[in-house]
Amino acid sequence: MSQVSKNPAQAHTAPATRPRGRARWSIALLMGFGILINYVDRLSISVTQQPLTHDFGLSATEFGVLSSAFLWSYAIMQIPSGMLLDRFGVKKIWGASAVLWTVASVLTAIASGAWVIIVARVLLGVAEAPAFPGAMKATGQWFPRHERGLCTAIFDSGTRLANVLGLPLIAFTVSTWGWREAFWLQAALSIVFLVAFLWRYTGPKARLAKGRMTNDEYRYIVDGGASSEDVRPQSDWATVGYLLRQRKVWGLSLGLAGAGYVLWMLLTWLPGYMQTSMNQSVLQSGIYAAVPAFAMFVSELTIGGVWVDRVIGRGANPDKVRKGVLVAGMIVALFTVGAAFSNTPIVAIIWIAIGSAGIALVYVTSNSLPALIAPEGSAGSLAAIVNCVNLLAGVAAPIVTGFVVDATGHFFYAFIIGGFALIGGLASYLLLMGRIEPIPARAVVHSAQV
């Protein structure tokens, strides 16, 4: 076993000079492109709310159920997808996923009824389940520990660009041609990504062997604490069981779930909120929805990515820096509650944008942690557990919001409930997670070299 895999808890410091070569950053951008397509796929349903509701005669609660169909299968498949990633690697699992999510977009475009869209959304959830665990696992293999904040910010920024670029594009397509054409556009974008991913993605060793990466960069990655590519868990289910018994895992998972509830409430209902409560058109709602996404994009790249890596690289305590960003992000996220008291679209979107910037800090920091704290060879499984718990909150958010809107006729209590979810998440980070450090690898998850 390599020296890196023997000492996962070893502190690695940034070398004085950066290496020749930027292969690792091309991988970060490729993952960001994949996450961008993922989020366009899953969020476009929110922009098509009015035409879909009209065509299929749906109530707000029924649309909430339709929206959450994706999240049910997405959450259920998290842990199986994490085990598959740890067993077979990122390239095989992400490649197969991209094929399936393309099929889901086509199925939605040709849907003859709401039930077909529900089936397509369930398939989309299965197909996209490996997206974030795969990106987190690839980050651990491709980046030294002190550069993972920026890498995570780059791939996670795909979720924000989906709102900044994707939703306005989908809204324009719906307004100009129709909602079915929007899903055909999604299918075409998915095919573009699939071709690019199969052509460009490999592990660092394979990239080095093909002469597409300098030896200096490879040594820089490995010596900086990268996870081994040659390690697999001896028992997938035993590994998951061991991780589920760790208090640190639950602190991270429940903390992210608090932010996840509000994020998914906004992702599925923000355009509808702007259309119904603020009397905005479909196109206007898509443009307004891009504002919080842009705030998240800037926040996670500048603070969660560049600033965090720079401060840690200069010798600051990594645990204190990352924990501080998590706590600050949750506090800022509470600004989203201000939308409950807003009477104009501009004021509402300002509150939501400020709070969303805090949510972005929580997400980018939390998403960098599985590769930092997982026992060797199990980053995919740990990332999947965290994402699964987070998504259970995401499943509840659109349904609860739809029920509240149907019962009250407005979104006031929906935002208040979101505030309580954020407070619960903050408590989990502070009381359960403990230090941000590697979880000891017991015999049940001891890695075997292959």
Side-chain angles (χ1 to χ4, degrees):
M1 194 178 295
S2 68
Q3 183 66 28
V4 172
S5 64
K6 286 181 180 179
N7 299 285
Q10 181 179 344
H12 297 271
T13 58
T17 59
R18 294 290 187 266
R20 291 185 302 107
R22 298 177 179 272
R24 65 196 188 282
W25 296 111
S26 69
I27 295 297
L29 291 172
L30 181 62
M31 292 191 296
F33 181 36
I35 297 297
L36 168 63
I37 301 302
N38 263 234
Y39 262 70
V40 171
D41 288 351
R42 63 186 71 173
L43 297 182
S44 57
I45 198 75
S46 65
V47 179
T48 62
Q49 177 190 357
Q50 281 191 344
L52 278 178
T53 299
H54 178 268
D55 284 0
F56 300 123
L58 305 176
S59 68
T61 300
E62 288 170 335
F63 180 78
V65 172
L66 185 149
S67 297
S68 71
F70 161 82
L71 285 172
W72 282 107
S73 57
Y74 187 63
I76 291 170
M77 287 301 296
Q78 283 300 303
I79 292 177
S81 70
M83 293 190 294
L84 288 172
L85 285 161
D86 286 340
R87 182 64 55 186
F88 298 107
V90 175
K91 183 162 188 174
K92 290 180 180 179
I93 302 304
W94 258 43
S97 295
V99 172
L100 288 178
W101 80 57
T102 303
V103 173
S105 293
V106 172
L107 188 59
T108 306
I110 63 175
S112 58
W115 70 270
V116 179
I117 297 180
I118 291 176
V119 171
R121 298 295 290 178
V122 170
L123 176 61
L124 184 66
V126 172
E128 295 190 350
F132 271 92
M136 295 178 207
K137 185 175 182 68
T139 298
Q141 293 177 342
W142 267 99
F143 283 82
R145 297 174 71 88
H146 62 275
E147 286 186 345
R148 292 182 191 175
L150 182 54
C151 175
T152 303
I154 289 173
F155 78 69
D156 197 55
S157 68
T159 66
R160 319 313 164 200
L161 290 176
N163 284 274
V164 175
L165 302 176
L167 287 192
L169 177 62
I170 295 297
F172 175 78
T173 303
V174 172
S175 299
T176 305
W177 293 289
W179 65 267
R180 294 183 186 276
E181 286 73 14
F183 289 101
W184 282 116
L185 175 62
Q186 286 180 194
L189 292 173
S190 297
I191 292 172
V192 171
F193 168 74
L194 176 61
V195 172
F197 180 78
L198 295 178
W199 175 44
R200 296 295 298 175
Y201 188 87
T202 63
K205 281 188 175 181
R207 180 68 67 93
L208 179 66
K210 293 178 180 179
R212 293 161 56 189
M213 179 183 188
T214 67
N215 188 65
D216 285 348
E217 185 176 16
Y218 179 77
R219 294 313 317 169
Y220 175 81
I221 293 170
V222 172
D223 294 343
S227 303
S228 173
E229 298 177 67
D230 301 324
V231 171
R232 304 288 186 272
Q234 289 185 342
S235 172
D236 297 316
W237 285 109
T239 297
V240 170
Y242 173 72
L243 293 174
L244 286 173
R245 294 193 297 272
Q246 306 305 307
R247 178 175 174 176
K248 189 184 303 294
V249 172
W250 283 105
L252 174 59
S253 301
L254 293 174
L256 185 60
Y261 180 93
V262 178
L263 178 63
W264 279 102
M265 179 184 74
L266 295 175
L267 291 178
T268 55
W269 278 104
L270 181 55
Y273 165 69
M274 299 306 295
Q275 292 165 24
T276 58
S277 296
M278 298 298 169
N279 299 314
Q280 303 299 297
S281 67
V282 172
L283 182 58
Q284 287 172 323
S285 70
I287 294 172
Y288 272 114
V291 177
F294 182 73
M296 296 180 81
F297 175 75
V298 173
S299 172
E300 67 181 2
L301 276 180
T302 58
I303 300 176
V306 174
W307 183 81
V308 167
D309 281 358
R310 182 173 296 174
V311 171
I312 292 175
R314 289 175 177 175
N317 185 298
D319 172 69
K320 291 182 178 179
V321 172
R322 294 186 175 109
K323 184 73 72 65
V325 172
L326 286 174
V327 172
M330 292 297 276
I331 293 172
V332 174
L334 286 167
F335 277 82
T336 55
V337 178
F341 306 93
S342 302
N343 296 316
T344 66
I346 293 178
V347 173
I349 214 67
I350 288 174
W351 284 117
I352 292 171
I354 294 172
S356 295
I359 292 174
L361 293 180
V362 174
Y363 260 77
V364 70
T365 306
S366 294
N367 287 340
S368 71
L369 298 187
L372 292 168
I373 69 175
E376 191 71 70
S378 61
S381 295
L382 176 53
I385 291 171
V386 174
N387 216 26
C388 180
V389 176
N390 170 37
L391 287 166
L392 292 177
V395 168
I399 296 176
V400 171
T401 302
F403 177 80
V404 169
V405 172
D406 273 344
T408 65
H410 52 73
F411 283 81
F412 178 85
Y413 290 106
F415 283 106
I416 298 299
I417 292 171
F420 281 109
L422 290 168
I423 293 172
L426 177 59
S428 296
Y429 282 133
L430 291 175
L431 302 178
L432 294 178
M433 189 168 69
R435 288 182 55 82
I436 299 173
E437 58 188 4
I439 297 170
R442 298 288 185 253
V444 71
V445 292
H446 191 272
S447 304
Q449 191 158 7
V450 296

